[in-house]
Amino acid sequence: HLMKELHPDKHSSIHEPSCSSRTLEEEKALMASMATDVTRAYGVIVNPLSRALHLLELWGAPIGEGDSSILGNNLLMEIMEVREDIENASTDEELRPLLESCRFKQNDLCDQLAEAFREERVDDARFLTAQLQYWNRIEETVLDKISHIH
């Protein structure tokens, strides 16, 4: 496991640097920096949205936060209706189905995204990622409202 190998504590007992041109403190700092990079990379790949955004960036086709220009009017209308439903909901029983529906859509989008990336369909991946951004924000809104009810 990479993190075990790079963790600075594992190297706290190093007496000789692995490279004669580096000091012990430089070696420890390098290991700490590499461990930080691995942690940051894991944070990107473990989250479907951040992973998709990163892959699009690597492909030279990034999308901005809330880039609604690639979404159709029908989807934007659906999102506005869901936001209105969330606003009007006042109980856990009203919000839970909205959360479930949102998570179902996110899972479906993730499946479609995986296929689009596998097949290198960049425009489709951009469109699906933009949708996922919106559904992630809706999920956050529902969870925030649920937490204020309890």
Side-chain angles (χ1 to χ4, degrees):
H1 181 240
L2 190 55
M3 275 306 290
K4 278 183 173 180
E5 292 302 314
L6 294 175
H7 198 280
D9 290 346
K10 179 174 179 156
H11 302 279
S12 63
S13 62
I14 294 177
H15 297 295
E16 295 292 322
S18 61
C19 178
S20 59
S21 65
R22 284 196 290 255
T23 67
L24 177 60
E25 290 307 313
E26 288 172 334
E27 188 81 12
K28 286 180 184 179
L30 176 63
M31 292 298 165
S33 174
M34 291 171 73
T36 299
D37 290 345
V38 169
T39 301
R40 191 176 308 121
Y42 179 77
V44 168
I45 63 171
V46 74
N47 178 291
L49 177 58
S50 64
R51 181 175 56 242
L53 289 168
H54 183 71
L55 286 171
L56 288 172
E57 193 172 308
L58 290 175
W59 283 4
I63 59 173
E65 181 69 25
D67 190 352
S68 63
S69 63
I70 58 179
L71 296 175
N73 286 336
N74 290 341
L75 180 63
L76 293 174
M77 288 300 294
E78 179 184 2
I79 290 168
M80 285 176 40
E81 289 171 11
V82 170
R83 288 194 180 278
E84 188 176 314
D85 291 344
I86 294 167
E87 184 68 31
N88 293 333
S90 59
T91 67
D92 195 62
E93 293 77 24
E94 292 171 321
L95 289 166
R96 290 289 169 187
L98 296 171
L99 183 61
E100 294 296 319
S101 174
C102 178
R103 287 182 172 164
F104 178 81
K105 288 177 192 270
Q106 289 170 312
N107 288 334
D108 184 49
L109 285 168
C110 287
D111 291 343
Q112 291 179 58
L113 257 172
E115 185 177 321
F117 280 121
R118 258 192 317 275
E119 297 174 2
E120 298 184 12
R121 292 182 284 124
V122 179
D123 289 339
D124 290 346
R126 290 182 85 239
F127 176 69
L128 294 165
T129 301
Q131 288 182 63
L132 188 57
Q133 279 182 317
Y134 276 92
W135 290 111
N136 274 13
R137 276 192 235 109
I138 288 172
E139 178 187 34
E140 290 169 5
T141 302
V142 173
L143 289 171
D144 184 56
K145 190 156 185 179
I146 288 172
S147 73
H148 284 79
I149 290 174
H150 292 139

